[in-house]
Amino acid sequence: MNGIDPWGFATDRPDTADRPDTATDDRSHAPGPTVEPGYAPHTTAASHSARPCSGTARELQRTARAALTRILEPGDETAGRWVREMGPVALWRALSDEDATPPPGASPAKTEGLRLRAVRARPAADLAAVTALGGRFICPGDDEWPGQLDDLGDARPLGLWVRGTANLRLWALRSVAVVGARACTDYGAHLATTLSAGLADRGWTVVSGAAYGVDGAAHRGALAADGATIAVMASGVDYAYPRGHTELLGRIAEQGLVVAELPPGDHPTRSRFIQRNRVIAALTRGTVVVEAELRSGSLVTARRARSLGRFTMGLPGPVTSSLSAGVHQLLRDEATVVTDADEVIELVGSIGDLAPGRRGPTLTRDLLDPIATRVLEALPAQGGTDIGRLAEEAGTPREVTQGKLFELLSLGFVQRCGGHWELARRAEAADGSRRGGA
């Protein structure tokens, strides 16, 4: 029985192309090539245009998803449900053809608005533009697709536009997000730089949003350590925002990766920054907030990371700084305190990635046995005393006291003046003692 292909043309295949129950998901485990709901395989070459066209199954999927990134807003869960239920090709057809049936549940106003956007969709031009940049467009189901993004459910990106030669999936396996205030302090910039350099030195990828302040410092720290860094943009990968980071983004594209949901040339908006943060949160093993006010996009990223089961961390700052108030609130509620790269890796890394022990310097006095310490502490801060009084003060027998005094003498803690014992002035100066061991 002849069927109808996604664009309404007769075929010699059974009519299964537009029936979601006969097709598989992007990441189907069924044998054979991956086929998405809403299209059937073709054997003719793809002819990309503003409207759907014939081509192989994978080419159609990629073209449709590229077109939808021009039509749909990032993070639109309703649209994500349409993609899941209909498949990207069928959805593209429904939005680009005025005579097609609208997506299920779509209001007339939303359908009209999306169809106006569909008129300007030129996926072939967008795919050519990213190729000219040395980049590519990756889709769910591709070998390079980071599977952790699937945790976003219907808010999962339609695809990702990528500049840079590294493999995004492999780099994201060991990645940490470092985010914070745009108008950060010198303290925040220093922490972000040193933290990111330390992570890069340990082979971890630093992910951030390429904004001014903490984001830029994080990228620069990783680049300075010749490490890996990923910039997740709220615009197209060829649209440098902020403009002042044009050179930085060029360096990241050469040494790391620049990633975006939006097609080439598209611009950022306030809502796109917020939606960009969900990608940063989902892509990485954990998020570190360096500086943030009580109302901050960085806190949105951290809380989204926690809701996705990722680690949430914060670097504390001065309690008098409003730029640390958000971090401190995060630490009170749900995050873990970290102070350097070793502590971050101990939390997000594998078993055995332990931070070194933390303790102050070891002084010679720390090595004394308890009785010798008691005798030393019994000596007066000024002047001397005889063995009898010292034994009473220390609560030790006379002969034991005398033995410990000679041990302390050999170590340079005390000195003998006739029948009296007193603190050695050299030891007092060296250890800053006012009274033995105090």
Side-chain angles (χ1 to χ4, degrees), residues 128-424:
V130 78
T131 299
L133 293 170
R136 57 209 174 276
F137 179 64
I138 62 173
C139 303
D142 287 351
D143 290 340
E144 195 181 350
W145 181 258
Q148 59 268 42
L149 293 179
D150 299 345
D151 292 346
L152 291 169
D154 288 339
R156 178 182 72 172
L158 294 161
L160 290 174
W161 303 86
V162 181
R163 285 178 65 191
T165 59
N167 185 295
L168 176 61
R169 182 179 67 84
L170 297 181
W171 271 28
L173 290 175
R174 283 170 55 91
S175 64
V176 176
V178 179
V179 297
R182 286 177 171 82
C184 68
T185 64
D186 291 341
Y187 167 84
H190 172 74
L191 284 183
T193 302
T194 55
L195 174 67
S196 299
L199 289 168
D201 280 337
R202 296 281 295 274
W204 284 77
T205 302
V206 175
V207 179
S208 199
Y212 288 133
V214 167
D215 288 16
H219 291 305
R220 290 188 181 94
L223 292 171
D226 292 326
T229 189
I230 300 173
V232 182
M233 306 294 292
S235 60
V237 293
D238 60 341
Y239 189 101
Y241 188 90
R243 292 298 186 188
H245 278 176
T246 301
E247 181 181 355
L248 174 62
L249 285 165
R251 291 176 57 204
I252 295 173
E254 292 176 0
Q255 187 172 320
L257 291 170
V258 178
V259 176
E261 291 182 78
L262 295 163
D266 223 339
H267 60 86
T269 64
R270 183 179 181 84
S271 63
R272 289 172 175 179
F273 282 114
I274 297 298
Q275 293 301 330
R276 180 270 309 274
N277 292 344
R278 86 192 194 288
V279 177
I280 294 176
L283 189 65
T284 56
R285 286 201 191 181
T287 295
V288 185
V289 183
V290 177
E291 280 189 322
E293 294 185 292
L294 289 171
R295 182 180 173 88
S296 168
S298 302
L299 301 183
V300 173
T301 306
R303 288 170 178 145
R304 189 61 180 266
R306 185 171 180 81
S307 72
L308 292 168
R310 312 300 196 258
F311 293 100
T312 307
M313 297 155 278
L315 281 112
V319 296
T320 55
S321 172
S322 63
L323 283 170
S324 292
V327 180
H328 295 161
Q329 186 62 47
L330 191 71
L331 293 173
R332 282 173 56 86
D333 293 341
E334 57 214 71
T336 301
V337 175
V338 291
T339 59
D340 60 20
D342 288 331
E343 292 179 355
V344 172
I345 295 170
E346 182 178 55
L347 194 61
V348 304
S350 305
I351 295 174
D353 287 333
L354 300 178
R358 310 286 178 172
R359 57 174 300 168
T362 299
L363 303 177
T364 307
R365 182 176 301 149
D366 299 331
L367 306 177
L368 296 176
D369 65 70
I371 297 177
T373 300
R374 197 157 68 231
V375 171
L376 181 61
E377 291 179 344
L379 284 166
Q382 300 291 332
T385 186
D386 57 39
I387 292 179
R389 290 186 179 179
L390 188 57
E392 292 177 6
E393 182 70 23
T396 55
R398 183 186 178 92
E399 60 275 13
V400 173
T401 302
Q402 185 174 21
K404 293 303 177 182
L405 282 170
F406 281 108
E407 290 179 13
L408 294 169
L409 178 65
S410 65
L411 294 172
F413 285 101
V414 301
Q415 60 190 20
R416 187 176 183 180
C417 300
H420 288 73
W421 294 82
E422 60 183 34
L423 291 172

Side-chain angles (χ1 to χ4, degrees), residues 16-24 37-38 84-87:
T16 61
D18 287 322
R19 301 207 314 240
D21 59 338
T22 63
T24 61
R84 173 169 52 82
E85 294 176 351
M86 301 173 62

Side-chain angles (χ1 to χ4, degrees), residues 11-30:
T11 71
D12 57 358
R13 295 180 303 280
D15 186 12
T16 61
D18 287 322
R19 301 207 314 240
D21 59 338
T22 63
T24 61
D25 182 75
D26 295 349
R27 305 181 71 82
S28 170
H29 298 290

